[in-house]
Amino acid sequence: MKERKRLGIYKEGESKMRDQVIEQILEHKIIAIVRGVEGEKVGKIAKALYEGGIRLMEITFNQREPDSFVETAEAIRAVKAEMEGRMTVGAGTVISTALVELAHEAGADFVKLFPCDQNTPAYLKALRAPLSHIRFLAVGGVTAENAAAFLRAGALGVGIGGSLVRKEWVETGAFEEIRREARRLTECAGEGLSGYVPSHALCGPVYRK
């Protein structure tokens, strides 16, 4: 109990935070996964994602570079300060008690302990038949083109990284491209929601030089 209280995940706060995060995922569906970005760029990425309609963001710990853990926690803290409660921010690839504590102290709203394997929407639909009581997040290989299919197959939400926050866009400061792709993604993912009709045709493949 002392350990759970020290980590800030004891009963009262744990239940309330869990319910709030689940509500956010149920409402907004899309989690933008950001890897390897620190400093001032992470705040600009968060702003571009928000302007594109994204309300959930995960900043991932790089397990290959333990020396970067503190910088990742600082990135979480920076986004929380930049967005002032407008975006739910979490930590990904959290595989130790120390990282849970680090993420929590940085202000993470949720912690993804075990990323989902990449599966096709058809497999997810088949999997949910005997396991309908389990809530799945589709992470890995999700794009604007297939996000709606995963949601229709029963995913609670989707996590998207490299196809949304592309390395070359971050390196060149092309935050407008991130905003545009976030908008395209939110429009396309909306097709997976009952009764939703996208405002314009953005869901086909996009090729940019």
Side-chain angles (χ1 to χ4, degrees):
M1 173 62 75
K2 289 182 179 180
E3 178 70 4
R4 289 173 63 81
K5 187 173 182 179
R6 186 173 69 86
L7 296 179
I9 53 176
Y10 50 98
K11 289 182 180 180
E12 185 176 351
E14 180 183 56
S15 179
K16 183 177 180 180
M17 180 179 291
R18 180 192 62 202
D19 291 345
Q20 289 175 342
V21 171
I22 289 175
E23 287 176 7
Q24 289 293 307
I25 296 173
L26 284 170
E27 180 178 358
H28 300 296
K29 303 295 184 183
I30 302 169
I31 303 172
I33 300 174
V34 179
R35 299 181 179 91
V37 181
E38 284 85 31
E40 63 178 20
K41 284 187 177 180
V42 74
K44 293 179 179 179
I45 290 171
K47 184 178 179 180
L49 291 169
Y50 183 85
E51 290 174 350
I54 304 294
R55 299 294 181 267
L56 302 162
M57 180 176 175
E58 173 195 304
I59 301 176
T60 302
F61 286 100
N62 184 350
Q63 298 301 323
R64 295 181 179 180
E65 297 181 9
D67 291 343
S68 70
F69 290 169
V70 173
E71 286 78 8
T72 300
E74 286 299 324
I76 293 172
R77 189 174 288 109
V79 171
K80 292 283 290 185
E82 175 78 19
M83 301 311 295
E84 299 180 332
R86 293 175 294 166
M87 181 174 283
T88 300
V89 185
T93 319
V94 178
I95 62 173
S96 70
T97 300
L99 284 184
V100 171
E101 181 176 12
L102 190 60
H104 175 73
E105 289 178 349
D109 295 304
F110 63 93
V111 175
K112 189 184 72 179
L113 298 176
F114 300 104
C116 300
D117 291 331
Q118 179 178 342
N119 291 303
T120 65
Y123 178 76
L124 175 60
K125 185 176 181 179
L127 191 64
R128 288 194 70 252
L131 300 173
S132 60
H133 59 291
I134 296 177
R135 289 170 165 172
F136 291 95
L137 287 174
V139 180
V142 181
T143 65
E145 288 75 37
N146 63 21
F150 277 106
L151 294 174
R152 286 194 298 267
L156 174 66
V158 294
I160 304 174
S163 66
L164 175 58
V165 184
R166 299 185 187 180
K167 184 178 180 180
E168 61 268 27
W169 292 345
V170 175
E171 290 177 346
T172 60
F175 302 110
E176 175 61 22
E177 292 288 350
I178 295 175
R179 186 203 64 78
R180 186 179 294 113
E181 186 66 13
R183 174 56 59 194
R184 189 170 79 95
L185 174 61
T186 55
E187 287 285 319
C188 296
E191 292 184 350
L193 308 179
S194 177
Y196 182 93
V197 178
S199 60
H200 47 287
L202 291 174
C203 302
V206 171
Y207 304 96
R208 299 191 182 102
K209 295 182 180 180

